[in-house]
Coordinates of all heavy atoms in Angstrom, one line a residue:
H212 N 0.8 -1.1 0.0 CA 0.0 0.0 0.0 C 0.9 1.2 0.0 O 1.8 1.3 0.8 CB -0.9 -0.2 1.1 CG -1.2 0.7 2.2 ND1 -0.3 1.1 3.1 CD2 -2.3 1.4 2.4 CE1 -0.8 1.9 4.0 NE2 -2.1 2.2 3.5
L213 N 0.7 2.1 -1.0 CA 1.6 3.1 -1.3 C 1.3 4.4 -0.3 O 0.1 4.6 -0.1 CB 1.5 3.7 -2.7 CG 2.2 2.8 -3.8 CD1 1.7 3.3 -5.2 CD2 3.6 3.0 -3.6
M214 N 2.3 5.0 0.2 CA 2.1 6.2 0.9 C 3.0 7.3 0.5 O 4.1 7.0 -0.1 CB 2.4 5.8 2.4 CG 3.8 5.3 2.7 SD 4.0 5.0 4.4 CE 5.4 3.8 4.3
E215 N 2.5 8.5 0.5 CA 3.2 9.6 0.1 C 3.8 10.3 1.4 O 3.1 10.5 2.4 CB 2.3 10.6 -0.6 CG 3.1 11.8 -1.3 CD 2.3 12.6 -2.2 OE1 1.1 12.2 -2.5 OE2 2.7 13.7 -2.5
I216 N 5.1 10.5 1.3 CA 5.8 11.1 2.5 C 6.5 12.4 2.1 O 7.3 12.4 1.1 CB 6.7 10.1 3.0 CG1 6.0 8.8 3.5 CG2 7.5 10.6 4.3 CD1 6.9 7.7 3.9
T217 N 6.4 13.5 2.8 CA 7.2 14.7 2.5 C 8.7 14.5 2.8 O 9.0 13.6 3.5 CB 6.6 15.8 3.4 OG1 6.8 15.5 4.8 CG2 5.1 16.1 3.2
Q218 N 9.4 15.4 2.3 CA 10.8 15.3 2.5 C 11.1 15.6 4.0 O 12.0 15.0 4.5 CB 11.5 16.5 1.6 CG 11.6 16.1 0.2 CD 12.4 14.8 0.0 OE1 13.5 14.6 0.5 NE2 11.9 13.9 -0.9
H219 N 10.3 16.5 4.6 CA 10.5 16.7 6.0 C 10.3 15.4 6.8 O 11.1 15.1 7.7 CB 9.5 17.8 6.4 CG 9.4 18.0 7.9 ND1 10.4 18.7 8.5 CD2 8.6 17.4 8.9 CE1 10.1 18.7 9.9 NE2 9.1 18.0 10.2
A220 N 9.2 14.7 6.5 CA 9.0 13.4 7.2 C 10.0 12.4 7.0 O 10.5 11.7 7.9 CB 7.7 12.8 6.8
L221 N 10.6 12.4 5.8 CA 11.7 11.4 5.5 C 12.9 11.7 6.3 O 13.6 10.9 6.8 CB 12.0 11.5 3.9 CG 11.0 10.8 3.1 CD1 11.3 11.0 1.6 CD2 11.0 9.2 3.3
A222 N 13.2 13.1 6.4 CA 14.3 13.4 7.2 C 14.2 13.1 8.7 O 15.1 12.7 9.3 CB 14.6 15.0 7.1
R223 N 13.0 13.4 9.2 CA 12.7 13.0 10.5 C 12.7 11.6 10.8 O 13.2 11.1 11.8 CB 11.3 13.6 11.0 CG 11.2 15.0 11.0 CD 12.1 15.6 12.1 NE 12.2 17.1 12.0 CZ 13.0 17.8 11.5 NH1 14.1 17.3 10.8 NH2 13.0 19.1 11.5
M224 N 12.3 10.7 9.9 CA 12.4 9.3 10.0 C 13.7 8.8 10.1 O 14.2 8.0 10.9 CB 11.8 8.6 8.7 CG 10.3 8.6 8.8 SD 9.5 8.2 7.1 CE 10.1 6.5 7.0
Q225 N 14.7 9.4 9.3 CA 16.1 9.1 9.3 C 16.7 9.5 10.6 O 17.5 8.7 11.3 CB 16.9 9.7 8.1 CG 18.3 9.3 8.0 CD 19.0 9.7 6.7 OE1 18.4 10.6 6.1 NE2 20.0 9.1 6.4
Q226 N 16.4 10.7 11.1 CA 17.0 11.3 12.3 C 16.6 10.5 13.5 O 17.3 10.3 14.5 CB 16.6 12.7 12.5 CG 17.2 13.7 11.6 CD 16.5 15.0 11.6 OE1 15.5 15.2 12.2 NE2 17.1 16.0 10.9
R227 N 15.3 9.9 13.5 CA 14.7 9.3 14.7 C 14.6 7.9 14.6 O 14.2 7.2 15.5 CB 13.4 10.0 14.9 CG 13.4 11.4 15.1 CD 12.1 12.1 15.1 NE 12.2 13.5 15.5 CZ 11.3 14.4 15.2 NH1 10.2 14.1 14.6 NH2 11.5 15.7 15.5
G228 N 15.2 7.3 13.5 CA 15.3 5.8 13.5 C 14.0 5.2 13.2 O 13.7 4.1 13.7
I229 N 13.1 5.8 12.6 CA 11.8 5.3 12.2 C 11.7 4.7 10.9 O 12.0 5.4 9.9 CB 10.7 6.3 12.6 CG1 10.7 6.8 14.0 CG2 9.3 5.9 12.1 CD1 9.8 7.9 14.3
R230 N 11.4 3.5 10.7 CA 11.4 2.9 9.4 C 10.2 3.1 8.5 O 9.1 3.3 9.1 CB 11.6 1.3 9.5 CG 12.8 0.9 10.4 CD 12.7 -0.5 10.6 NE 13.6 -0.9 11.6 CZ 13.6 -2.0 12.3 NH1 12.7 -2.8 12.3 NH2 14.5 -2.3 13.2
P231 N 10.3 3.0 7.3 CA 9.0 3.1 6.5 C 8.0 2.1 6.9 O 6.8 2.3 6.7 CB 9.5 2.9 5.0 CG 11.0 3.3 5.1 CD 11.4 2.9 6.4
T232 N 8.4 0.9 7.3 CA 7.4 -0.2 7.6 C 6.7 0.3 8.9 O 5.6 -0.1 9.1 CB 8.2 -1.5 7.9 OG1 9.2 -1.5 8.7 CG2 8.6 -2.2 6.5
D233 N 7.4 1.0 9.8 CA 6.7 1.5 11.0 C 5.6 2.5 10.6 O 4.5 2.4 11.2 CB 7.8 2.4 11.9 CG 8.9 1.3 12.4 OD1 8.7 0.2 12.3 OD2 10.1 2.0 12.7
V234 N 5.9 3.4 9.8 CA 4.9 4.3 9.2 C 3.7 3.6 8.6 O 2.6 3.9 8.8 CB 5.5 5.4 8.3 CG1 4.5 6.3 7.8 CG2 6.6 6.2 9.0
D235 N 4.1 2.6 7.8 CA 3.0 1.8 7.2 C 2.1 1.1 8.2 O 0.9 1.1 8.1 CB 3.6 0.8 6.2 CG 2.6 -0.1 5.5 OD1 1.7 0.6 4.8 OD2 2.6 -1.3 5.5
C236 N 2.7 0.6 9.2 CA 1.9 0.0 10.4 C 1.0 1.0 11.0 O -0.1 0.7 11.4 CB 2.8 -0.6 11.4 SG 3.4 -2.2 11.0
L237 N 1.5 2.2 11.3 CA 0.7 3.3 11.8 C -0.5 3.6 10.9 O -1.7 3.7 11.4 CB 1.5 4.6 12.0 CG 2.4 4.6 13.2 CD1 3.2 5.9 13.1 CD2 1.6 4.6 14.5
L238 N -0.3 3.6 9.6 CA -1.3 4.0 8.6 C -2.4 2.8 8.6 O -3.6 3.1 8.5 CB -0.8 4.1 7.3 CG 0.1 5.4 7.0 CD1 0.7 5.4 5.6 CD2 -0.8 6.6 7.3
R239 N -1.9 1.5 8.7 CA -2.8 0.4 8.8 C -3.6 0.2 10.1 O -4.8 0.0 10.0 CB -2.0 -0.9 8.4 CG -1.5 -1.0 7.1 CD -0.7 -2.3 7.0 NE -0.1 -2.4 5.8 CZ -0.2 -3.4 5.0 NH1 -0.9 -4.5 5.4 NH2 0.5 -3.5 3.8
F240 N -2.9 0.3 11.2 CA -3.4 -0.2 12.4 C -3.6 1.0 13.5 O -4.2 0.7 14.5 CB -2.5 -1.3 13.0 CG -2.3 -2.4 12.1 CD1 -1.0 -2.7 11.6 CD2 -3.3 -3.3 11.8 CE1 -0.8 -3.8 10.7 CE2 -3.1 -4.3 11.0 CZ -1.8 -4.6 10.4
G241 N -3.0 2.1 13.3 CA -3.0 3.1 14.3 C -4.2 3.7 14.7 O -5.2 3.8 13.7
R242 N -4.3 4.3 15.8 CA -5.5 5.1 16.2 C -5.3 6.4 15.7 O -4.3 7.1 15.7 CB -5.6 5.1 17.7 CG -6.9 5.9 18.2 CD -7.2 5.7 19.6 NE -8.2 6.6 19.9 CZ -9.0 6.5 21.0 NH1 -8.8 5.5 21.8 NH2 -10.0 7.4 21.2
S243 N -6.5 7.1 15.4 CA -6.3 8.5 14.8 C -7.0 9.6 15.7 O -8.1 9.2 16.3 CB -7.1 8.5 13.4 OG -7.2 9.8 12.9
E244 N -6.4 10.6 15.9 CA -7.0 11.8 16.6 C -6.8 13.1 15.8 O -5.7 13.2 15.2 CB -6.4 12.0 17.9 CG -6.6 11.0 19.0 CD -8.1 10.9 19.5 OE1 -8.7 12.0 19.4 OE2 -8.5 9.9 20.0
H245 N -7.8 13.9 15.7 CA -7.5 15.1 15.0 C -6.5 16.0 15.7 O -6.4 16.0 16.9 CB -8.9 16.0 14.9 CG -9.9 15.3 14.1 ND1 -9.8 15.2 12.7 CD2 -11.0 14.6 14.5 CE1 -10.9 14.5 12.3 NE2 -11.6 14.1 13.4
D246 N -5.7 16.7 14.8 CA -4.6 17.6 15.4 C -5.1 19.0 15.6 O -4.4 19.9 15.9 CB -3.4 17.5 14.6 CG -3.5 18.1 13.3 OD1 -4.6 18.6 12.9 OD2 -2.4 18.2 12.6
H247 N -6.3 19.2 15.2 CA -6.9 20.6 15.2 C -6.2 21.6 14.4 O -6.3 22.9 14.6 CB -7.0 21.1 16.7 CG -7.7 20.2 17.5 ND1 -9.1 19.9 17.4 CD2 -7.3 19.3 18.5 CE1 -9.4 19.1 18.4 NE2 -8.3 18.7 19.0
H248 N -5.5 21.2 13.4 CA -4.9 22.0 12.3 C -5.2 21.5 10.9 O -4.5 21.7 10.0 CB -3.4 22.1 12.5 CG -2.9 22.6 13.9 ND1 -3.0 23.9 14.1 CD2 -2.5 22.0 15.0 CE1 -2.6 24.1 15.4 NE2 -2.3 22.9 16.0
G249 N -6.2 20.6 10.8 CA -6.6 20.1 9.5 C -6.0 18.8 9.2 O -6.3 18.2 8.1
G250 N -5.3 18.1 10.1 CA -4.7 16.8 9.8 C -5.1 15.9 11.0 O -6.1 16.1 11.8
E251 N -4.4 14.7 11.0 CA -4.7 13.8 12.1 C -3.4 13.3 12.6 O -2.4 13.1 11.8 CB -5.7 12.8 11.7 CG -5.3 12.0 10.6 CD -6.3 10.9 10.1 OE1 -7.4 10.8 10.8 OE2 -6.3 10.3 9.1
I252 N -3.3 12.9 13.8 CA -2.2 12.2 14.5 C -2.6 10.7 14.6 O -3.6 10.3 15.1 CB -2.0 12.7 15.8 CG1 -1.7 14.2 15.8 CG2 -0.8 12.0 16.5 CD1 -1.7 14.9 17.2
L253 N -1.6 9.9 14.1 CA -1.8 8.4 14.1 C -0.8 7.9 15.1 O 0.4 8.3 15.1 CB -1.5 7.8 12.7 CG -2.5 8.2 11.7 CD1 -2.0 7.6 10.3 CD2 -3.8 7.7 12.0
Y254 N -1.2 7.1 16.1 CA -0.4 6.5 17.1 C -0.8 5.2 17.5 O -1.9 4.7 17.0 CB -0.3 7.5 18.3 CG -1.7 7.6 19.0 CD1 -2.0 6.8 20.1 CD2 -2.7 8.5 18.5 CE1 -3.3 7.0 20.8 CE2 -3.9 8.6 19.1 CZ -4.2 7.9 20.3 OH -5.4 8.0 20.9
V255 N -0.1 4.5 18.3 CA -0.4 3.1 18.7 C -1.0 3.1 20.1 O -0.4 3.6 21.1 CB 0.8 2.2 18.7 CG1 0.6 0.8 19.1 CG2 1.5 2.2 17.3
D256 N -2.2 2.7 20.2 CA -2.8 2.5 21.5 C -2.9 1.0 21.8 O -2.4 0.2 21.0 CB -4.3 3.2 21.5 CG -5.3 2.5 20.5 OD1 -4.9 1.6 19.7 OD2 -6.4 2.8 20.5
K257 N -3.6 0.6 22.7 CA -3.6 -0.8 23.2 C -4.2 -1.7 22.1 O -3.7 -2.8 21.8 CB -4.5 -1.0 24.5 CG -4.3 -2.3 25.1 CD -5.3 -2.5 26.3 CE -5.1 -1.5 27.4 NZ -5.9 -1.8 28.5
N258 N -5.3 -1.3 21.4 CA -5.9 -2.1 20.4 C -4.9 -2.2 19.2 O -4.9 -3.3 18.6 CB -7.2 -1.5 20.0 CG -8.3 -1.7 21.0 OD1 -8.3 -2.6 21.8 ND2 -9.3 -0.8 21.1
A259 N -4.4 -1.0 18.8 CA -3.5 -1.1 17.6 C -2.2 -2.0 18.0 O -1.8 -2.7 17.1 CB -2.9 0.4 17.4
R260 N -1.8 -1.9 19.2 CA -0.6 -2.8 19.6 C -0.9 -4.3 19.4 O -0.1 -5.1 19.0 CB -0.2 -2.5 21.0 CG 1.1 -3.2 21.4 CD 1.5 -2.9 22.8 NE 1.6 -1.6 23.1 CZ 2.0 -1.0 24.2 NH1 2.5 -1.8 25.1 NH2 2.1 0.3 24.3
R261 N -2.2 -4.6 19.8 CA -2.7 -6.0 19.7 C -2.7 -6.4 18.3 O -2.2 -7.5 17.9 CB -4.0 -6.1 20.3 CG -4.3 -7.5 20.9 CD -5.6 -7.5 21.6 NE -5.6 -6.5 22.8 CZ -6.7 -5.8 23.0 NH1 -7.7 -5.6 22.2 NH2 -6.6 -5.0 24.1
R262 N -3.2 -5.6 17.4 CA -3.3 -5.9 16.0 C -1.9 -5.9 15.3 O -1.6 -6.8 14.5 CB -4.1 -4.8 15.2 CG -5.6 -4.9 15.6 CD -6.5 -4.1 14.7 NE -6.1 -2.7 14.6 CZ -6.6 -1.7 15.5 NH1 -7.6 -2.1 16.3 NH2 -6.3 -0.5 15.4
I263 N -1.0 -5.1 15.7 CA 0.4 -5.0 15.2 C 1.1 -6.3 15.6 O 1.9 -6.9 14.9 CB 1.1 -3.8 15.6 CG1 0.6 -2.6 14.9 CG2 2.7 -3.9 15.2 CD1 1.1 -1.2 15.4
S264 N 0.9 -6.7 16.9 CA 1.5 -7.9 17.5 C 1.0 -9.1 16.7 O 1.9 -10.0 16.4 CB 1.2 -8.0 18.9 OG 1.8 -9.1 19.5
A265 N -0.2 -9.2 16.4 CA -0.7 -10.4 15.6 C -0.2 -10.3 14.2 O 0.1 -11.4 13.6 CB -2.2 -10.3 15.6
F266 N 0.1 -9.1 13.6 CA 0.5 -9.0 12.3 C 2.1 -9.2 12.1 O 2.6 -9.9 11.2 CB 0.2 -7.6 11.7 CG 0.4 -7.5 10.2 CD1 -0.4 -8.2 9.3 CD2 1.3 -6.6 9.7 CE1 -0.2 -7.9 7.9 CE2 1.5 -6.3 8.4 CZ 0.8 -7.1 7.5
L267 N 2.9 -8.6 13.0 CA 4.3 -8.5 12.9 C 5.1 -9.2 14.1 O 6.3 -9.4 14.0 CB 4.8 -7.1 12.8 CG 4.5 -6.3 11.5 CD1 4.9 -4.9 11.7 CD2 5.1 -7.0 10.3
G268 N 4.4 -9.4 15.2 CA 5.1 -10.0 16.4 C 5.1 -9.0 17.4 O 5.0 -7.7 17.2
T269 N 5.3 -9.4 18.7 CA 5.3 -8.6 19.9 C 6.4 -7.6 19.9 O 6.3 -6.4 20.3 CB 5.4 -9.6 21.1 OG1 4.4 -10.4 21.1 CG2 5.3 -8.7 22.4
R270 N 7.6 -8.0 19.5 CA 8.8 -7.0 19.5 C 8.5 -5.8 18.6 O 8.8 -4.7 19.0 CB 10.1 -7.7 19.0 CG 10.6 -8.6 20.0 CD 11.9 -9.2 19.7 NE 13.0 -8.4 19.9 CZ 14.2 -8.4 19.4 NH1 14.5 -9.5 18.7 NH2 15.1 -7.5 19.7
S271 N 7.9 -6.0 17.5 CA 7.7 -4.9 16.6 C 6.5 -4.0 17.1 O 6.7 -2.7 17.2 CB 7.2 -5.4 15.2 OG 8.1 -6.0 14.5
A272 N 5.6 -4.6 17.7 CA 4.5 -3.8 18.5 C 5.1 -3.0 19.6 O 4.7 -1.8 19.7 CB 3.5 -4.7 18.9
E273 N 6.0 -3.5 20.3 CA 6.5 -2.8 21.5 C 7.5 -1.7 21.0 O 7.4 -0.6 21.5 CB 7.4 -3.8 22.3 CG 6.6 -4.9 22.9 CD 6.7 -5.0 24.4 OE1 7.7 -4.4 25.0 OE2 5.8 -5.6 24.9
R274 N 8.1 -1.9 19.9 CA 9.1 -0.8 19.4 C 8.2 0.3 18.8 O 8.7 1.5 18.9 CB 9.9 -1.5 18.2 CG 11.0 -0.7 17.8 CD 12.0 -1.5 16.9 NE 11.3 -2.0 15.7 CZ 10.9 -1.3 14.6 NH1 11.1 0.0 14.7 NH2 10.2 -1.8 13.7
L275 N 7.1 0.0 18.4 CA 6.2 1.0 17.8 C 5.3 1.8 18.8 O 4.6 2.7 18.4 CB 5.3 0.5 16.7 CG 5.9 0.1 15.4 CD1 5.1 -0.7 14.5 CD2 6.5 1.3 14.7
S276 N 5.4 1.4 20.0 CA 4.4 1.8 21.1 C 4.4 3.4 21.2 O 3.5 4.0 21.7 CB 4.6 1.2 22.3 OG 5.9 1.4 22.9
D277 N 5.6 4.1 21.0 CA 5.6 5.5 21.2 C 5.9 6.3 19.9 O 6.1 7.5 19.9 CB 6.8 5.8 22.2 CG 8.2 5.7 21.5 OD1 8.3 4.9 20.6 OD2 9.2 6.3 22.0
V278 N 5.7 5.6 18.7 CA 5.8 6.3 17.4 C 4.5 6.9 17.0 O 3.5 6.4 17.3 CB 6.3 5.3 16.4 CG1 6.3 6.0 15.0 CG2 7.6 4.8 16.7
Y279 N 4.6 8.1 16.4 CA 3.4 8.8 15.9 C 3.7 9.4 14.5 O 4.9 9.6 14.1 CB 2.9 9.9 16.9 CG 3.8 11.1 16.8 CD1 3.6 12.2 16.0 CD2 4.9 11.3 17.7 CE1 4.4 13.3 15.9 CE2 5.7 12.4 17.7 CZ 5.4 13.4 16.9 OH 6.2 14.5 16.8
A280 N 2.6 9.6 13.8 CA 2.8 10.3 12.5 C 1.7 11.4 12.4 O 0.6 11.1 12.9 CB 2.6 9.3 11.4
V281 N 2.0 12.5 11.8 CA 1.0 13.5 11.5 C 0.8 13.4 10.0 O 1.7 13.4 9.3 CB 1.5 14.9 11.9 CG1 0.4 16.0 11.5 CG2 1.9 15.0 13.4
V282 N -0.6 13.2 9.6 CA -0.9 13.0 8.3 C -1.9 14.1 7.9 O -2.9 14.4 8.6 CB -1.6 11.6 8.1 CG1 -2.0 11.3 6.7 CG2 -0.7 10.4 8.6
A283 N -1.7 14.6 6.7 CA -2.7 15.6 6.2 C -3.9 15.0 5.7 O -4.1 13.7 5.6 CB -2.0 16.3 5.0
I284 N -4.9 15.8 5.4 CA -6.2 15.3 5.0 C -6.2 14.5 3.8 O -6.9 13.6 3.6 CB -7.2 16.5 4.9 CG1 -8.1 16.6 6.1 CG2 -7.9 16.6 3.6 CD1 -9.0 17.8 6.1
D285 N -5.2 14.9 2.9 CA -5.1 14.1 1.6 C -4.3 12.7 1.7 O -4.0 12.1 0.8 CB -4.5 14.9 0.6 CG -3.2 15.5 0.9 OD1 -2.6 15.2 2.0 OD2 -2.6 16.2 0.1
G286 N -3.9 12.5 3.0 CA -3.2 11.3 3.2 C -1.7 11.3 3.2 O -0.9 10.3 3.4
V287 N -1.1 12.5 3.1 CA 0.3 12.7 2.9 C 0.9 12.8 4.3 O 0.4 13.4 5.2 CB 0.7 13.9 2.2 CG1 2.2 14.2 2.2 CG2 0.2 13.9 0.7
V288 N 1.9 11.9 4.6 CA 2.6 11.9 5.9 C 3.5 13.1 6.1 O 4.4 13.4 5.2 CB 3.5 10.6 6.1 CG1 4.1 10.7 7.4 CG2 2.6 9.4 5.9
L289 N 3.1 14.0 6.9 CA 3.9 15.3 7.1 C 5.1 15.3 8.0 O 6.1 15.8 7.8 CB 2.8 16.4 7.7 CG 1.6 16.7 6.9 CD1 0.8 17.6 7.6 CD2 2.0 17.2 5.6
T290 N 4.9 14.5 9.1 CA 6.1 14.3 10.0 C 5.9 13.1 10.9 O 4.8 12.5 11.0 CB 6.4 15.5 10.9 OG1 7.6 15.4 11.5 CG2 5.3 15.7 11.9
V291 N 6.9 12.6 11.4 CA 7.0 11.5 12.4 C 7.8 11.7 13.6 O 8.7 12.5 13.5 CB 7.4 10.0 11.7 CG1 6.4 9.8 10.5 CG2 8.8 10.2 11.2
G292 N 7.5 11.0 14.7 CA 8.4 11.1 15.8 C 8.1 10.2 16.9 O 7.3 9.2 16.7
H293 N 8.7 10.3 18.1 CA 8.4 9.6 19.2 C 7.7 10.3 20.3 O 8.1 11.4 20.6 CB 9.7 9.0 19.9 CG 10.5 8.1 18.9 ND1 10.2 6.8 18.8 CD2 11.6 8.3 18.1 CE1 11.0 6.2 17.9 NE2 11.8 7.2 17.4
R294 N 6.6 9.8 20.8 CA 5.7 10.5 21.7 C 6.5 10.7 23.0 O 7.1 9.8 23.5 CB 4.4 9.8 21.9 CG 3.5 9.9 20.9 CD 2.1 9.3 21.2 NE 2.2 8.0 21.4 CZ 1.7 7.3 22.4 NH1 1.1 7.9 23.4 NH2 1.8 6.0 22.5
T295 N 6.5 11.9 23.6 CA 7.0 12.1 25.0 C 5.8 12.4 26.0 O 6.0 12.5 27.1 CB 7.9 13.2 25.0 OG1 7.3 14.4 24.5 CG2 9.1 12.9 24.1
Q296 N 4.6 12.7 25.3 CA 3.4 12.9 26.1 C 2.2 12.1 25.6 O 2.3 11.7 24.5 CB 3.0 14.4 26.1 CG 4.0 15.3 26.6 CD 3.7 16.8 26.3 OE1 2.7 17.1 25.6 NE2 4.4 17.7 26.9
R297 N 1.3 12.0 26.5 CA 0.1 11.3 26.0 C -0.7 12.1 25.0 O -0.6 13.4 25.0 CB -0.9 11.1 27.2 CG -0.4 10.1 28.2 CD -1.4 9.9 29.2 NE -2.7 9.5 28.5 CZ -3.6 8.7 29.1 NH1 -3.4 8.1 30.2 NH2 -4.7 8.5 28.4
I298 N -1.4 11.5 24.1 CA -2.3 12.2 23.2 C -3.6 12.5 23.8 O -4.2 11.5 24.2 CB -2.3 11.5 21.8 CG1 -1.0 11.5 21.2 CG2 -3.3 12.1 20.9 CD1 -0.8 10.6 19.9
K299 N -4.0 13.7 23.8 CA -5.3 14.0 24.5 C -6.5 13.6 23.6 O -6.5 13.9 22.4 CB -5.4 15.5 24.8 CG -4.2 15.9 25.8 CD -4.3 17.5 26.0 CE -3.4 17.8 27.1 NZ -2.1 18.2 26.7
H300 N -7.5 13.0 24.3 CA -8.7 12.6 23.6 C -9.8 13.6 23.9 O -9.8 14.2 25.0 CB -9.1 11.2 24.1 CG -8.0 10.2 24.0 ND1 -7.6 9.7 22.7 CD2 -7.1 9.7 24.8 CE1 -6.6 8.8 22.9 NE2 -6.3 8.8 24.2
P301 N -10.6 13.8 22.9 CA -11.8 14.7 23.1 C -12.7 14.2 24.3 O -12.8 13.2 24.7 CB -12.5 14.8 21.9 CG -12.1 13.7 21.1 CD -10.8 13.2 21.7

């Protein structure tokens, strides 16, 4: 499944050690919250971790537990990183 990634996101992935397969897992299994700037934040919650674990194994699910991606409305990945805070739910 093809994903479009900005140059900024590619640079952040390289800097932060986040693989393209990690981003793909977020797009497939991650939970989504609005970022209140016209996009959404994808991250791994308990349900996503369970699905990733079944798909790739427990080690991959644990490694992804703090990874997030910010995705524009058109599906383009804008940036990625490691969460240092909880994502607030409405």
Side-chain angles (χ1 to χ4, degrees):
H212 128 294
L213 284 170
M214 58 184 158
E215 192 173 342
I216 302 176
T217 63
Q218 286 299 314
H219 174 80
L221 287 170
R223 293 298 177 259
M224 287 168 62
Q225 186 174 16
Q226 290 168 347
R227 297 170 177 164
I229 297 171
R230 304 174 191 157
T232 54
D233 299 342
V234 177
D235 186 51
C236 276
L237 281 174
L238 294 173
R239 288 176 188 235
F240 304 113
R242 180 171 173 158
S243 171
E244 291 290 336
H245 293 286
D246 70 354
H247 305 290
H248 299 285
E251 58 185 355
I252 301 169
L253 297 173
Y254 64 99
V255 177
D256 66 356
K257 192 186 301 184
N258 290 331
R260 188 181 306 186
R261 210 174 299 130
R262 291 190 301 266
I263 293 168
S264 185
F266 189 70
L267 291 176
T269 305
R270 288 185 78 192
S271 293
E273 301 234 343
R274 193 172 55 75
L275 288 171
S276 65
D277 71 337
V278 174
Y279 73 91
V281 178
V282 180
I284 254 174
D285 59 1
V287 176
V288 179
L289 301 174
T290 193
V291 298
H293 295 279
R294 287 187 292 130
T295 58
Q296 299 177 345
R297 289 184 54 144
I298 294 176
K299 294 179 176 96
H300 306 287

